[in-house]
Amino acid sequence: MQADSRQILREIERKVLWLSCWVIDQANRREKVDGVKVGGHQASCASMVSIMTSLYCDVLRPEDRVAVKPHASPVFHALQYLAGNQTREKLENFRGFGGAQSYPSRTKDVDDVDFSTGSVGLGVGITAFASIVQDYVHARGWATAGRPKGRMVALVGDAELDEGNIYECLQEGWKHDLRNTWWIIDYNRQSLDGVVREGLYDRIETVFRAFGWEVVTLKYGALQRAAFDEPGGAALKGWIDRCPNQLYSALTFQGGAAWRKRLMDEIGDQGEVSALLERRTDEEVGAVMENLGGHCLSSLTDTFNAIDHDRPTVFIAYTIKGWGTPLAGHKDNHAGLMTEPQMRAFKKRMNIRDGHEWDPAEGLHMDGKALKAFIAGTPFFAAGRRRHRTAPVALVPDAVPTPASPREIISTQTAFGKILDAIAKSDSELADRIVTTSPDVTVSTNLGPWVNRRQLFARTELADTFRDERVPSAQKWSFTPHGQHIELGIAEMNLFLLLGAMGLSHSLFGERLIPIGTVYDPFVSRGLDALNYACYQDARFMIVGTPSGVTLAPEGGAHQSIASPLIGMSQDGLASFEPAFADELAVIMSWAFDYIQRDGEEDPDERTWLRDETGGAVYLRLSTRQLEQPNRARDAAFEQSVVDGAHWLRKPGPNCDLVIAYQGTVASEAIAAAGMLADRRRDLGVLAVTSADRLNAGWQAAMRARARGHVGATGHIERLLAPLPRHTAIVTVIDGHPATLSWLGGVIGHRTHSLGVEHFGQTGTVADLYRHYGLDAANIAQVASNLTPGRKLGWAA
């Protein structure tokens, strides 16, 4: 880099430090109408300023993607502001409604966020999986193959290394020959509640090297290295290397005079070391001691630009928390804010005039035009906003066939496998764009047929040794760059991070994928943080939770899910379904392949009052329990009702006083219970709920619309239940938490009794556990009989 460019980088570094601190200061000086602390992290921003200035204004290219350390959000927004991608109004409203977000957000911020961050550790991990996805789309030979591969960069707080998902991710990356991934650790050695333990560096280095990463240490800045070359410099370097983290931080806060005294007391000898110190003022001594590698622009840019390979690399950049501010090094600086006197002094030191605090070039030794021209000419910012827009995958009619015949006995899990197998046989664009993944449960979740036809993905070929050795096996698995299944270890966090990365491929890499992941349904909870993170980024994928509920009877309570239907209902960005029959599943999957590709406006559909045009991810809760399939037409009305969330399996008569509503595999019990009551409650109805999530969301949305004056707004469930007499009772049943369907009674005002599972299960047969939890036909019928007038059903029935 030319000398004048280095000087401009130092000017930008200075400006970004000022703006990030000013943004937080102003946010906390707004009138607090609700008394809630606004917050912000001036010290955490300061430790990242040099690293991010170097990256964004010199090192990065448009194809690179960055996950910014959450607490460095103001630094990111400041850089985007200087580049013209962020507005002053949103910076002035930082952490306010409609303003720049507390942590970088793909969906809420207007500037060029690659990966949302906030839940620490997850933004780090997703970069590794994004790199695997980048390899996948390049290996497919699509149009994107002609573009250069980018580096997936994570800016990592050293305290984030406490997060377990990071180490799960490292192992998965090693298995998949991870490439083009940089993690840059802001090693300021301070966390929220204190200073990190001594020796952490050695542990970090050991772990990363063990997984095949190159480790690059940025410990000393140019000023320090120059001092080390002077007489006495070796002793100074030795002292720095021995100095405990807490002492280094404390002396940084105390300043140059304190540094001089401690150094003179411990290594000063009235000779070389003393002379080295005496040649410098107190301010210059402090500048040398605070000139760590993570704050030296020349060291950073030279080191980053010297990497000439695609191996995963971790940079351990020594920094000072609060660098360049009055908060530097103080133990309590994590959430600390500069006081008014401190801010005035800082403002004066930055040469900022009153009323010019937001001016891009204020306080710099260059004018606004020169600053704007330099940033506009940097490779990263020259390309403008770097999100791709990708056409949806074409869906031909009948792309998803019904995988079972009437009267056939089959489970929804098996039906799922048959659907994918049928798609795999085709030469459709849909088949080519589907990519599946599973955390070591590929076969047991019925992805085996798909993988047999479409193979496993790897960067290099790997033959199926069992097949080559003529060992009989149902699985014909070989690894190839053209494979369409990414096999994972058992860590569910990795599953959802990979689904998140695959579900953003159309935006990150310009290639549309249709990602499908499978997981044992109870272990959705194990990866829930990463699932929420993927949905928050608006990643598009299908997750199949199977087997589910206590219906997985012999497996026992540890493998039986209770709360997952409620997770499906409450998770934003995720449409949840639990079909009972194969034809319903086929309808839902056909709709889902379209839904996960939608990117329309937020205006609700007046038929459902759901924002379906915006699209989202989809969750299917399936079962291994085999049911006899109904004989019915798969016409447009049936398909629409299945997608909307419910349909009448048995339509109620005009004098209906009882409805049995079920979701999922307990359909057989609900149907049998209705049969037991048929001669006693002749007009009873049986409501097949395919999605409590969409039913509830449509009802809630319709109520909100009515409150805003749309008097005719009605949800799908309201239209289904409206013809029922008010005295009709509803019995709901689900192999999951009863609250999933208990709200049905509030739609019109019908008395409701909800059956389900509220406690951990145990081993046994399906019949055993259904009786234990009252999900069996006899109990459903008994509850319904007692809830309504007329002839009662005895327990002996």
Side-chain angles (χ1 to χ4, degrees):
M1 178 181 287
Q2 300 296 321
D4 56 345
S5 294
R6 291 188 187 276
Q7 180 55 41
I8 292 173
L9 279 186
R10 283 191 285 270
E11 293 289 287
I12 294 173
E13 173 191 51
R14 177 185 179 88
K15 171 54 63 175
V16 170
L17 177 62
W18 162 255
L19 280 174
S20 60
C21 289
W22 179 248
V23 163
I24 297 168
D25 177 83
Q26 292 302 288
N28 284 275
R29 297 194 190 285
R30 292 195 299 262
E31 183 181 0
K32 298 180 179 62
V33 295
D34 50 11
V36 176
K37 172 187 172 184
V38 174
H41 303 86
Q42 289 176 331
S44 292
C45 285
S47 65
M48 285 298 302
V49 163
S50 304
I51 293 171
M52 293 178 67
T53 300
S54 170
L55 287 171
Y56 282 93
C57 297
D58 184 80
V59 177
L60 296 177
R61 299 297 182 263
E63 60 270 18
D64 298 332
R65 302 289 173 177
V66 187
V68 175
K69 186 181 85 165
H71 292 156
S73 173
V75 179
F76 172 80
H77 292 311
L79 283 162
Q80 295 288 339
Y81 174 63
L82 295 178
N85 298 329
Q86 180 60 276
T87 68
R88 172 175 169 177
E89 291 73 21
K90 287 188 178 294
L91 287 186
E92 289 178 331
N93 196 26
F94 176 64
R95 293 197 170 204
F97 184 74
Q101 295 293 293
S102 310
Y103 311 119
S105 171
R106 280 183 60 87
T107 59
K108 309 300 181 187
D109 278 315
V110 296
D111 42 9
D112 204 13
V113 178
D114 291 317
F115 300 104
S116 300
T117 53
S119 184
V120 294
L122 298 181
V124 181
I126 200 171
T127 57
F129 292 104
S131 182
I132 293 171
V133 173
Q134 179 178 235
D135 284 344
Y136 180 89
V137 297
H138 274 256
R140 299 296 295 169
W142 293 323
T144 192
R147 302 174 190 152
K149 287 185 178 181
R151 293 162 294 199
M152 302 298 111
V153 181
L155 306 179
V156 188
D158 50 9
E160 285 191 272
L161 297 175
D162 290 343
E163 291 288 349
N165 79 274
I166 285 179
Y167 303 97
E168 294 175 350
C169 168
L170 284 177
Q171 180 153 304
E172 203 62 63
W174 169 76
K175 293 177 189 175
H176 287 88
D177 192 19
L178 182 65
R179 298 281 146 175
N180 292 303
T181 304
W182 284 11
W183 289 0
I184 303 168
I185 298 173
D186 174 18
Y187 194 55
N188 60 41
R189 294 163 286 173
Q190 287 185 258
S191 61
L192 176 61
D193 292 325
V195 178
V196 303
R197 300 297 177 92
E198 300 300 325
L200 177 62
Y201 171 86
D202 296 330
R203 305 284 80 74
I204 295 172
E205 181 183 38
T206 299
V207 167
F208 279 91
R209 289 197 190 282
F211 285 110
W213 287 56
E214 180 168 337
V215 179
V216 177
T217 303
L218 285 152
K219 186 170 185 179
Y220 316 109
L223 292 179
Q224 289 188 344
R225 296 196 303 273
F228 298 159
D229 289 339
E230 296 179 24
L236 176 63
K237 181 177 182 295
W239 186 91
I240 290 174
D241 290 343
R242 294 188 303 272
C243 183
N245 293 334
Q246 293 201 52
L247 178 59
Y248 211 98
S249 294
L251 291 171
T252 296
F253 179 73
Q254 291 173 324
W259 278 117
R260 182 187 299 277
K261 182 177 186 308
R262 180 58 63 109
L263 291 170
M264 289 295 291
D265 289 346
E266 297 194 1
I267 58 173
D269 57 0
Q270 306 305 310
E272 291 180 338
V273 174
S274 297
L276 185 154
L277 296 172
E278 288 169 357
R279 284 193 291 273
R280 292 168 170 84
T281 64
D282 285 350
E283 184 177 355
E284 289 170 335
V285 169
V288 168
M289 299 306 290
E290 294 170 23
N291 181 236
L292 299 175
H295 296 305
C296 179
L297 283 172
S298 60
S299 299
L300 289 164
T301 53
D302 290 347
T303 301
F304 292 146
N305 286 323
I307 301 298
D308 59 357
H309 57 78
D310 66 355
R311 296 190 303 277
T313 303
V314 60
F315 301 87
I316 306 175
Y318 279 73
T319 61
I320 291 168
K321 197 161 188 173
W323 172 82
T325 76
L327 306 174
H330 195 282
K331 181 181 178 182
D332 303 332
N333 65 11
H334 180 83
L337 297 169
M338 283 186 258
T339 63
E340 289 193 45
Q342 286 176 325
M343 199 66 201
R344 283 197 298 270
F346 180 62
K347 183 177 180 180
K348 182 178 181 181
R349 182 160 61 85
M350 290 289 179
N351 298 320
I352 305 296
R353 295 169 295 168
D354 290 344
H356 294 267
E357 294 86 354
W358 298 103
D359 295 357
E362 178 69 8
L364 304 184
H365 296 98
M366 61 189 305
D367 62 27
K369 282 188 176 180
L371 175 64
K372 184 177 181 179
F374 180 87
I375 293 177
T378 59
F380 186 80
F381 289 117
R385 192 171 173 87
R386 300 161 308 113
R387 292 196 188 180
H388 298 285
R389 296 190 66 85
T390 312
V393 173
L395 301 174
V396 299
D398 303 319
V400 183
T402 300
S405 304
R407 309 304 179 196
E408 184 178 345
I409 297 175
I410 191 174
S411 71
T412 49
Q413 177 177 303
T414 300
F416 165 73
K418 284 180 172 290
I419 288 171
L420 281 187
D421 188 40
I423 294 172
K425 292 176 186 177
S426 72
D427 60 356
S428 65
E429 184 182 8
L430 172 63
D432 289 341
R433 294 286 173 162
I434 288 175
V435 55
T436 61
T437 185
S438 188
D440 205 32
V441 291
T442 297
V443 174
S444 52
T445 56
N446 277 64
L447 279 178
W450 166 268
V451 179
N452 279 345
R453 296 187 186 279
R454 293 286 171 156
Q455 301 303 305
L456 297 104
F457 170 74
R459 295 181 69 250
T460 55
E461 298 274 355
L462 180 64
D464 184 344
T465 302
F466 283 85
R467 187 178 183 184
D468 292 348
E469 293 296 324
R470 300 173 185 260
V471 177
S473 172
Q475 316 312 324
K476 304 176 182 65
W477 290 7
S478 29
F479 290 86
T480 166
H482 298 293
Q484 289 180 246
H485 177 78
I486 299 177
E487 183 65 7
L488 298 174
I490 61 174
E492 283 79 10
M493 293 286 276
N494 286 343
L495 168 72
F496 289 113
L497 286 174
L498 176 58
L499 285 172
M502 290 194 297
L504 293 173
S505 177
H506 57 284
S507 177
L508 295 175
F509 307 121
E511 292 294 349
R512 176 80 63 176
L513 298 179
I514 307 293
I516 301 175
T518 63
V519 63
Y520 286 173
D521 194 62
F523 303 138
V524 167
S525 297
R526 194 182 287 174
L528 190 54
D529 194 13
L531 170 60
N532 180 68
Y533 175 65
C535 291
Y536 178 66
Q537 303 211 66
D538 198 26
R540 304 307 180 86
F541 55 88
M542 182 187 298
I543 178 66
V544 179
T546 182
S548 62
V550 298
T551 302
L552 188 62
E555 290 283 348
H559 278 193
Q560 296 167 357
S561 52
I562 297 172
S564 56
L566 296 176
I567 292 171
M569 291 181 69
S570 62
Q571 178 61 58
D572 188 22
L574 188 71
S576 172
F577 294 86
E578 187 176 1
F581 298 109
D583 57 352
E584 296 169 340
L585 175 62
V587 169
I588 292 165
M589 289 185 66
S590 180
W591 174 84
F593 288 141
D594 174 59
Y595 180 74
I596 64 177
Q597 301 185 75
R598 297 178 188 174
D599 188 22
E601 300 298 324
E602 292 192 2
D603 291 339
D605 175 358
E606 293 194 7
R607 185 181 52 78
T608 62
W609 295 96
L610 296 172
R611 297 179 302 167
D612 278 355
E613 289 310 305
T614 64
V618 174
Y619 167 34
L620 306 181
R621 189 176 190 248
L622 306 183
S623 176
T624 49
R625 190 179 184 211
Q626 297 181 335
L627 300 180
E628 181 179 323
Q629 301 301 296
N631 185 7
R632 58 191 174 190
R634 182 178 158 180
D635 56 23
F638 170 74
E639 292 186 355
Q640 190 64 68
S641 62
V642 167
V643 168
D644 288 347
H647 60 91
W648 287 113
L649 190 71
R650 174 173 173 165
K651 196 167 184 178
N655 298 312
C656 175
D657 62 359
L658 174 65
V659 166
I660 298 175
Y662 70 86
Q663 179 170 290
T665 194
V666 292
S668 60
E669 305 302 312
I671 294 168
M676 293 178 183
L677 295 167
D679 63 341
R680 294 169 171 81
R681 309 289 187 274
R682 295 182 185 275
D683 283 352
L684 73 82
V686 178
L687 183 66
V689 177
T690 53
S691 175
D693 177 26
R694 287 176 58 79
L695 279 185
N696 183 267
W699 175 48
Q700 296 285 349
M703 286 195 294
R704 287 193 297 272
R706 289 197 294 271
R708 294 168 183 161
H710 296 273
V711 293
T714 55
H716 181 56
I717 188 60
E718 292 175 292
R719 292 191 292 274
L720 289 171
L721 299 183
L724 298 176
R726 292 299 297 268
H727 66 268
T728 302
I730 301 175
V731 176
T732 72
V733 58
I734 183 176
D735 183 1
H737 200 284
T740 308
L741 296 174
S742 63
W743 57 273
L744 288 176
V747 175
I748 304 296
H750 297 111
R751 287 182 303 140
T752 300
H753 187 112
S754 296
L755 302 174
V757 181
E758 297 178 80
H759 305 290
F760 293 115
Q762 55 183 306
T763 56
T765 66
V766 172
D768 289 336
L769 295 191
Y770 277 13
R771 279 194 300 271
H772 178 72
Y773 287 105
L775 305 181
D776 59 302
N779 186 64
I780 297 170
Q782 185 70 53
V783 169
S785 174
N786 292 338
L787 197 61
T788 54
R791 284 194 299 144
K792 304 302 178 185
L793 186 69
W795 284 105

